[in-house]
Amino acid sequence: MEIFHMSITMEKQIYRKSIDPSIIYHKGRWHVFATTAKNNNWGLFYTNFTTWSEAPSAPFYYLDQSGIGPGYRAAPQIFYFAPQKLWYLVYQNGNAAYSTNPDISNPAGWTEPKTFYSGMPLIIEQNIGSGYWVDMWVICDEALCHLFSSDDNGQLYRSETPLAKFPDGFSEPVIALQDPERFRLFEASNVYRYAKNSYLLLVEAIGTDGRRWFRSWTSSSIAGPWKELASEEENAFMRSNNVVFPSGTVAWTKDFSHGELIRSGVDQEMRIGPCKMEYLYQGMDPSAEGDYGDLPWKLALLTQTNSAC
């Protein structure tokens, strides 16, 4: 477990204004899906490139031009569901939604939204308070697919369905993790497999300074229980106090927010390598003010520099 302890990181590449990125490397290209938001209008876009130097100028394809259509869509997650030989894009649209596509490089090929649930599950209604149901995340093992989501109110939820039934048949969610201080367990959960029967959970928090950062846990099972790893502000998985910017570069953000680790594969098991991890995150100018969707969020890549392997 020490490989994840105090994940000191440094910035590698700044990307353009957008939020909530999901990224995979497939057939020689980086494929990125993310959210755009302005004046309370939310949608998804897709872009791809071969090298990070191309990223700032790579063209966007807005996915409202596909079967996904217009309307509120946000916080995408991309993966290849190998049993069906289909790409899945999971996102929020007021529910937990998904679209499929046989060809990730054809952005026009995404199907219209379908949902994993008929509506907001009762346990979420009972606990959400003044929060929002957000940030769906799917990960599967050899038998089950698990769906995580957050409520911006201190609860992380999980439901499951047999691998053979996916995307149908999800159970009623249970509370996978909770914190009485809502901002300590806020949103943007990621769950990854980093070794046999070894899983890493990341959840975004809002710190005592009002800045975004990530806590972490590990478990031998996707269903938990989860053991705290780097989960406090002075000992964070990712926070302004353990990120070093390259020499001569201005520390342009104090927020390390919603993003995704670079995976070692593309399928539903969400595998990562435990060494020299990289995380694509969103940050912004510390002096910026305004509504969340109108803030000048940009994407950048962090690289672990204290890897033990």
Side-chain angles (χ1 to χ4, degrees), residues 134-178:
V134 295
D135 299 342
M136 291 69 192
W137 181 270
V138 170
I139 179 173
C140 307
D141 55 27
E142 290 78 6
L144 297 170
C145 289
H146 307 255
L147 175 57
F148 289 83
S149 60
S150 299
D151 65 6
D152 282 355
N153 197 38
Q155 279 74 228
L156 176 69
Y157 303 95
R158 183 191 63 84
S159 58
E160 63 185 44
T161 190
L163 186 73
K165 287 188 176 181
F166 182 83
D168 300 318
F170 272 98
S171 63
E172 285 296 306
V174 296
I175 294 175
L177 207 61
Q178 62 186 157

Side-chain angles (χ1 to χ4, degrees), residues 107-244:
W110 290 100
T111 59
E112 65 182 25
K114 293 184 178 181
T115 58
F116 293 109
Y117 306 106
S118 60
M120 182 183 291
L122 180 60
I123 192 171
I124 300 177
E125 288 185 5
Q126 292 172 336
N127 288 280
I128 196 169
S130 59
Y132 298 92
W133 185 28
V134 295
D135 299 342
M136 291 69 192
W137 181 270
V138 170
I139 179 173
C140 307
D141 55 27
E142 290 78 6
L144 297 170
C145 289
H146 307 255
L147 175 57
F148 289 83
S149 60
S150 299
D151 65 6
D152 282 355
N153 197 38
Q155 279 74 228
L156 176 69
Y157 303 95
R158 183 191 63 84
S159 58
E160 63 185 44
T161 190
L163 186 73
K165 287 188 176 181
F166 182 83
D168 300 318
F170 272 98
S171 63
E172 285 296 306
V174 296
I175 294 175
L177 207 61
Q178 62 186 157
D179 195 300
E181 298 182 31
R182 61 179 298 211
F183 293 131
R184 282 176 50 83
L185 197 75
F186 199 59
E187 59 188 20
S189 68
N190 302 171
V191 187
Y192 304 97
R193 183 175 184 171
Y194 67 90
K196 183 176 176 60
N197 299 324
S198 298
Y199 295 91
L200 173 70
L201 165 65
L202 307 179
V203 180
E204 182 177 333
I206 301 178
T208 53
D209 58 358
R211 300 299 178 182
R212 305 286 182 126
W213 62 289
F214 274 92
R215 304 174 68 194
S216 61
W217 295 258
T218 57
S219 178
S220 60
S221 168
I222 300 174
W226 294 96
K227 179 182 178 181
E228 289 189 17
L229 184 61
S231 63
E232 300 299 329
E233 292 191 38
E234 65 275 10
N235 178 30
F237 182 84
M238 184 196 320
R239 192 174 179 272
S240 58
N241 58 0
N242 72 345
V243 173
V244 178

Side-chain angles (χ1 to χ4, degrees), residues 2-10 237 273-279 302-309:
E2 292 298 322
I3 52 178
F4 294 122
H5 188 68
M6 288 298 290
S7 180
I8 306 299
T9 51
M10 63 184 293
F237 182 84
C275 304
K276 297 179 180 177
M277 295 181 293
E278 294 180 299
Y279 192 97
L302 295 179
T303 303
Q304 183 187 22
T305 58
N306 70 331
S307 176
C309 49

Side-chain angles (χ1 to χ4, degrees), residues 49-63:
F49 45 89
T50 57
T51 65
W52 283 99
S53 62
E54 296 174 356
S57 59
F60 284 4
Y61 183 98
Y62 292 93
L63 294 178

